[in-house]
Structures are given as structure tokens and as C-alpha cells.
């Protein structure tokens, strides 16, 4: 019932265990929902309560430990045997005097996994300060060490099966973008655009069902486009304004993000010029995303183009994507920015996002790419690379 | 531009400061996105990076501290003055060697808010173990103490303005439920149901724009209904099966959740009987949700009905709702379950959810209610309380 063949999960486990050996970890306790899914297939909107997957360096199967109510979901979505699934009773939920992480610790002790060096995801959303204190107290014979992003770094290079999911997600992203651009008109509410975009995202295509992306679309109107990360409101689009759409297609938890900008009316000259320069910078960055280059070199290619034209951008221009759960489709490892020495390799996938926010409006364009064996990347998302003008 | 009048924010602040006095806190650092919104109006999909709102017991305005890129969004969505907004530079994002919480600590030091007892949300998603370590290290002159849920307990009693938002959310929930039940038929993919439901959720009504709920719908088909918290997949609904829809309407970040179950074909006798008993139990629970009763008494009224009929349910039957951000629309304070001594008061709002998962299928029905001054509650959601049969 899990999303991939068992062989793929075994390969992922072996790669994680190899990194655990490098880090001299005996056990790894993951709480990032994407890492739970990556290691076991687990999929459910249960990450608002504590849950974990534990990996031992020399054991053949991870343990899934979550809320008892969610054992049924674990049976339905993971490849794990019944002996590897543990559910904490309901009285642990939202209780002041007991914590699910103490149950996780007890499960590890019962399994004989409570000795040596135990890695934890110290800076992962969902690994709270209290969770860490409870797990530490429940594992007195172990030393807890920071292993944040260990699995995320393994996820950086995708399997061909994962890439196939991302190609499906890209078809969905294109369809959602088309739907959004089509419906944006003066007088239309932002929320009505969101409705059309989400229907295209979730419905997917006849071949590929649409899953929910780890973040919902940003599609502000008017002055709100001057800020990133605003989703939508009941405000109406107005003639003569600029709006961007940042969204992802998602298939079976794999993402392909895509952003484009729409001008409702003839674009001001400043916007046209910016869009032109950003477009050149995007081509330069895409061309630079080759095996053997560093993440910083990709950003440098972009920056050279825009600096020459008199623009600057303080923030990074991209990050790895693939598997993701709320709140974020980014993988939190490499960043396309100065100083990042990550060396690109085949089947790494990045969202290259060029967002320029000025005082009164913003411009965004992005693509999702896959690094290839040689030559320029495969751009997974296939959508006209331009400012869309609806006049 | 903030969602409520400044007077409402001042009232919220005063109530939080009163609780801070009881807890002998000088400063409170919140990271829960719902608490950020509650205290300042801040709204943006930026909670995947660290951000905080700090409240001092004797100061007139909180501080918003987030990513520099999101300052524009803070200006657009909060009532705070420019002096109260602080943005950390881009090099803090996804960096191994520096952490945004150190910037938060420095901001508090610069403001003279780094002494005495500083409350933190120790078990809030988004308050990671590393965030706590970094904040602790950056506030050597302060004592950090657990103040988890302090603001959540203040949020338990809604203002009339908040209730108005929840009534709007209830209209959206009803519309989304109608759309979902209408489209479910044998042969229809779960994702196509999700598309219709989301379009109704996000589009909202002509009067009330639809916002994204803190959790996306659960609408599994067939055997997958035997588990809670599965969203949807590409599986097709099959004749003779049972399916439930659990969703929320959301308006301006306020929620009204609603669940119903659909039988595709004449329901098995066991389901009909269960639905009947659960319906009686629901009425009993709703009737018991009155000012002066405890949360435990509400659950006891339900349990008496189902025990008499030979059923049992291990998990709680409800929790407070209102404002929410991913991953959860629940407020994490009271629970409708044995032992919970929370005394119900006017304008507390609860999602009463009766989920019964059997081996092969599940049955769910829920309502969102507001406790009134006297007598039974106002049930915000208005939808026929029955098992829907499509034969």
C-alpha cells in the first residue's frame, strides 16, 4: 500500500544508515513528516500531534511510533510489518502531565535501542523544546546528538521513481497556473482565483491525481503583491495592477513549484524592464545548474546578469524540492546563494525562484529543474517564461 | 489593514498581560502562528521559518520579529507601528552557523526586555529544541520558563467579532459539505471530490470570502475510511462502500469544522444502527454544552448514550476551535473527555467530533458550537444531522 516498492525503501534506509555510520549514530529519531514518509511511506494529516520514525543503524526495519488512533493509517500507508508499529494511548494527547515523546523513549528502551548515540532533528518543525526534554529524560542511557537534516541530505538526490512523481506534479502545476491566469480579471476576488487554482491542483489530471501541496498558493492582488507569502483574501483585482501566482503541483506528496506574474493592463515600463532582466537572469541560472557546479555558482550566474542591469536581490534564488508536508515544500538543505558549496549532482531537483518585491508591486517567476548527467538541466515545469499581460 | 479593530487587539493584549501577571512573567515570546495573528493580526505563509511576537507585561505594543523579507507582509497585516517590526537578514535562513532565535534574543536585549522571567511556548510546533537552546543562550540575564498555551487559554473565550467570523466560516463549511456529498459517486476519484470541496472552501460565499483551513479535508474512500486523518488519493469511490468527509470552512483564519458520512448504496444494518446511536449521543453532548458545566460532563452525556447501546470510544469527542494555522485548527487547551475540569463559559466554541472507526469502515459526524449565556449552545454549523445515503 506504500507509495513506492519495498526495494526503494530498503535503498533509502541503507543510504540513511550509511550517513548514520559517518555520524557515529546508533539510532536516529525522525519527526519531520517528510522524513517519516521517505523512510516508511507514512502519509496522514496527523503531524499536529507528536509522532516519530526511529531507525537503528543495524536493524532491518524502522519503527513507526504515533497516536494509537493513527495506527490504522500507518497500516494502510507504510510498508512496515505490524511488529514495527506502536501507538500511544489517547491520554497522551494534549495532556499537561504526560508527553508522547516519553512513550517514544519507552518504546526504544523496550526494543533495546536506548543506548549509545541517538540522533534527533533538533531544528525540525514538530521537534519541540518539550519533546526534546521528554525524550532526553526517557533515554538516560543514551546520548542525544543533533542529527538535523541527516535524512534531508539523503533526500537531495532523487530516485527515478521520485522524479517520475515530480514530472506528474509539474503537469499539475502547469494546469493550475493556466487556470489561475485565465480567471484573473479586474473585479474578480483573490479567493475566487484560489478556488480555481486549488481545484486544478487537487483534481490533478486524468493520468495523475492531485495531492495537496505543502504550502497553499500565494496570489495577492494590488498593493499586497509588494509582499511575499500572502496567500489570498477577499480583495478584488483591479485594472492597472500587477499580481503574481506562486503555487505548486503535487502528486503523491511530490512537488513541482511554479510562479508567474500577470499585469492587468499594459505594464509600466519599469515592470517590463525588470521582467526582461529577470528573464535573462533566469536563463543564466538554469543554464548554470549542471552537475559539478556549486549551488553558489548557479546564483552567481543570475547575479551577474541583474547586477549589470542595476538590480540586486538580497535573498537566495532557490532550494531543493521534492517530497514535502506542511508547512514547507523546501528541503532545508542547500540554498542557491553565495557561499553554498553544495556540488550539484544528477537527479537533484531545485525550485529556482526569482522574486523581486518593490515598494508597490512584486514580480515573480520560477521553474522547477532536475540536474542531469551532463549539460543543462531538465526543466520539469513547462510554461511560457514571460510576464503575462491581460489588457 | 489588520483583521480586527485596534481596540480588540488592545483588549486581547490586556487579557494576555493579566495572565502574565498571574504567571509572574515579565516577557512572553510566542511562536504559534495563531498566537501571532491573535496578538497582532499577522498573517502570511511564513511560519516555516522562525518568527515570534514578544509581549512585555508593562509595554503597550508587542514586537513582531521575523524574516526581513516578511516585513512587508507584517506592515500590510498587523496593526503595529514600524518601530515594533524587526526583520532578520537573509543569511539567518536555513543556515547551520546562525539561528533566527539568536536575532530574536538580541532584539529583546536591545529593547531592555531581556531580564526577569521570560515565558516561551515550550511545546508549540515551530518552537524547536534548537530554537529554545538559541534563545536561552542569547538571554543570559533572563530565566526562561514554560508558558505554553498561555495565549491559547485566552483565545478560548471568543469576542463577538470572532464569533461573527466563525458564523461566516460555518456558511462556507455547509457549502463545501454540500459540494462534496453531491459529487461523491461510484467511479469518482477521491481527488476530484477534494477539488470540488476546496473550490467551495476557498471561494467562500458572495458575502464571506473563503480562507484556507489549517488542515485540508479528509475524504477517503472504501477501506481507507477505517483510518482517520487520511486526506485523499487517486482511488475511486466504489458502490456499496462508506465514506466520510471531515472539513472546515474558514473565513479570515477563523474555522468552523464539520463532518458527515455518506453510504454509497443501502447502508449495512450495523452502520445504520451505529449512525442512529451516534446521532443520539451527539444530541446529548450538544445539549450538555452549557455555561457552568465541565468539559468532562459534555463527554459523559455522550458516553452514557453509547454505553447503553453497547459501543465505546477511547478518544476525546471535541476540543476548542477558532483561529488556526497549519498544522491544526484545534486550540490544544481543553478536551471534551473524562477528567477535564474546564468550566464552559459563554462564547467558548468547540468542535464536537464523533468518529468511530471500525475494522472495515468508519463513521463520522461533527458540529461546531458556541456556548451561550444560558440554555443549549448555538450550533454554528447548520447541516442535516444524518447518515447520507446515495443509492
Amino acid at each position: 500500500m506504500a507509495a513506492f516498492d519495498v526495494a526503494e525503501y530498503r535503498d533509502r534506509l541503507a543510504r540513511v544508515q550509511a550517513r548514520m555510520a559517518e555520524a557515529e549514530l546508533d539510532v536516529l529519531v525522525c519527526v519531520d513528516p517528510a522524513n517519516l514518509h521517505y523512510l516508511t511511506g507514512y502519509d496522514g494529516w496527523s503531524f499536529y500531534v507528536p509522532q516519530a520514525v526511529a531507525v537503528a543503524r543495524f536493524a532491518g526495519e524502522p519503527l513507526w511510533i504515533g497516536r494509537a488512533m493513527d495506527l490504522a493509517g500507518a497500516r494502510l500507508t507504510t510498508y512496515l510489518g505490524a511488529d514495527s508499529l506502536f501507538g500511544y494511548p489517547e491520554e497522551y494527547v494534549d495532556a499537561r502531565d504526560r508527553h508522547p515523546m516519553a512513550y517514544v523513549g519507552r518504546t526504544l528502551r523496550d526494543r533495546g535501542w536506548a543506548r549509545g548515540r541517538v540522533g534527533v532533528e533538533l531544528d525540525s518543525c514538530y521537534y519541540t523544546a518539550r519533546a526534546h526534554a521528554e525524550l532526553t529524560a526517557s533515554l538516560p542511557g543514551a546520548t542525544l546528538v543533533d542529527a538535523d537534516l541527516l535524512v534531508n541530505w539523503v533526500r537531495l538526490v532523487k530516485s527515478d521513481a521520485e522524479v517520475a512523481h515530480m514530472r506528474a506534479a509539474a503537469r499539475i502545476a502547469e494546469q493550475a497556473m493556466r487556470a489561475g491566469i485565465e480567471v484573473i480579471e479586474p473585479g474578480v476576488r483573490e479567493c475566487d482565483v484560489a478556488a480555481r487554482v486549488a481545484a486544478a491542483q487537487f483534481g490533478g489530471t486524468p493520468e495523475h491525481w492531485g495531492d495537496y501541496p505543502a504550502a497553499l498558493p500565494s496570489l495577492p492582488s494590488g498593493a499586497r503583491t509588494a509582499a511575499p507569502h500572502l496567500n489570498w483574501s477577499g480583495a478584488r483585482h483591479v485594472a492597472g495592477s500587477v499580481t503574481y501566482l506562486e503555487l505548486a503541483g503535487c502528486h503523491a506528496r511530490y512537488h513541482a513549484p511554479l510562479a508567474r506574474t500577470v499585469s492587468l493592463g499594459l505594464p509600466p515600463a519599469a515592470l517590463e524592464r525588470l521582467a526582461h532582466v529577470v528573464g535573462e537572469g533566469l536563463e543564466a541560472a538554469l543554464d548554470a545548474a549542471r552537475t559539478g557546479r556549486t549551488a553558489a555558482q548557479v546564483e552567481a550566474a543570475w547575479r551577474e546578469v541583474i547586477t549589470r542591469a542595476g538590480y540586486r536581490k538580497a535573498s537566495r534564488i532557490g532550494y531543493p524540492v521534492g517530497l514535502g508536508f506542511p508547512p514547507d515544500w523546501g528541503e532545508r538543505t542547500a540554498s542557491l546563494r553565495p557561499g553554498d558549496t553544495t556540488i550539484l549532482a544528477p537527479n537533484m531537483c531545485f525550485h529556482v525562484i526569482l522574486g523581486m518585491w518593490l515598494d508597490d508591486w512584486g514580480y515573480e517567476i520560477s521553474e522547477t529543474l532536475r540536474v542531469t548527467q551532463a549539460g543543462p538541466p531538465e526543466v520539469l515545469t513547462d510554461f511560457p517564461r514571460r510576464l503575462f499581460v491581460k489588457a
Side-chain angles (χ1 to χ4, degrees), chain A residues 317-335:
Chain A
I317 65 159
Y319 46 78
V321 285
L323 191 53
F325 281 81
D328 193 10
W329 61 51
E331 293 180 1
R332 301 177 52 232
T333 49
S335 287

Side-chain angles (χ1 to χ4, degrees), chain A residues 2 19 28 58 108 113 116 155 261 280 326:
Chain A
R19 281 197 182 246
L28 175 65
F58 297 111
L108 297 182
W113 290 12
R155 284 164 44 203
T261 301
E280 281 189 6

Side-chain angles (χ1 to χ4, degrees), chain A residues 5-300:
Chain A
D5 292 343
V6 173
E8 170 130 5
Y9 290 107
R10 300 241 187 271
D11 175 66
R12 293 172 179 187
L13 185 64
R15 292 195 292 140
V16 166
Q17 286 170 327
R19 281 197 182 246
M20 288 172 65
E22 284 167 31
E24 295 176 9
L25 296 180
D26 299 286
V27 172
L28 175 65
V29 178
C30 295
V31 299
D32 180 335
N35 293 341
L36 269 56
H37 187 289
Y38 189 74
L39 289 165
T40 72
Y42 182 69
D43 187 8
W45 196 292
S46 56
F47 36 85
Y48 64 92
V49 293
Q51 51 186 17
V53 160
V55 175
R57 193 160 129 206
F58 297 111
E61 200 167 279
L63 309 182
W64 180 95
I65 308 160
R67 186 178 179 183
M69 180 188 278
D70 293 313
L71 279 170
R75 277 182 222 116
L76 285 164
T77 61
T78 74
Y79 81 94
L80 303 178
D83 292 353
S84 303
L85 307 178
F86 296 85
Y88 56 81
E90 193 63 17
E91 55 264 30
Y92 281 85
V93 177
D94 285 352
R96 304 259 33 189
D97 56 339
R98 61 179 77 80
H99 195 280
M101 271 295 161
Y103 185 93
V104 170
R106 200 172 68 202
T107 307
L108 297 182
R109 290 201 308 274
D110 291 349
R111 200 76 168 197
W113 290 12
R115 277 187 290 265
R117 285 164 54 88
V118 175
V120 294
E121 298 180 321
L122 208 67
D123 204 23
S124 170
C125 293
Y126 306 117
Y127 193 68
T128 70
R130 181 163 173 202
H132 184 56
E134 297 275 354
L135 188 63
T136 302
S138 72
L139 296 176
T143 305
L144 272 67
V145 297
D146 187 9
D148 198 31
L149 306 183
L150 186 147
V151 177
N152 304 50
W153 281 108
V154 173
R155 284 164 44 203
L156 181 57
V157 175
K158 271 70 184 168
S159 70
D160 290 342
E162 290 180 289
V163 170
H165 278 12
M166 293 181 69
R167 288 198 188 103
R171 297 297 82 74
I172 296 169
E174 295 151 9
Q175 163 176 297
M177 184 61 74
R178 258 192 309 274
I181 293 175
E182 191 178 279
V183 73
I184 289 176
E185 294 285 355
V188 171
R189 296 182 304 174
E190 292 171 23
C191 64
D192 293 314
V193 181
R196 285 285 293 274
V197 167
Q201 286 176 305
F202 297 0
T205 71
E207 298 78 28
H208 309 297
W209 64 278
D211 205 346
Y212 65 87
L216 290 175
S218 285
L219 26 80
S221 68
R224 286 164 48 89
T225 61
H229 304 142
L230 303 185
N231 294 92
W232 65 81
S233 71
R236 289 177 192 280
H237 285 279
V238 285
S241 73
V242 179
T243 184
Y244 65 82
L245 301 96
E246 182 179 339
L247 56 84
C250 184
H251 173 69
R253 307 280 1 105
Y254 280 81
H255 293 71
L258 180 66
R260 288 295 184 271
T261 301
V262 177
S263 175
L264 288 174
L266 288 179
L271 172 59
E272 272 205 316
R273 180 166 179 271
L274 176 67
H276 179 76
V277 172
V278 169
E280 281 189 6
L282 174 60
E283 300 300 331
L286 293 177
D287 189 68
R290 296 172 184 235
T291 289
R293 305 274 179 90
T294 66
Q297 284 177 304
V298 178
E299 196 271 349

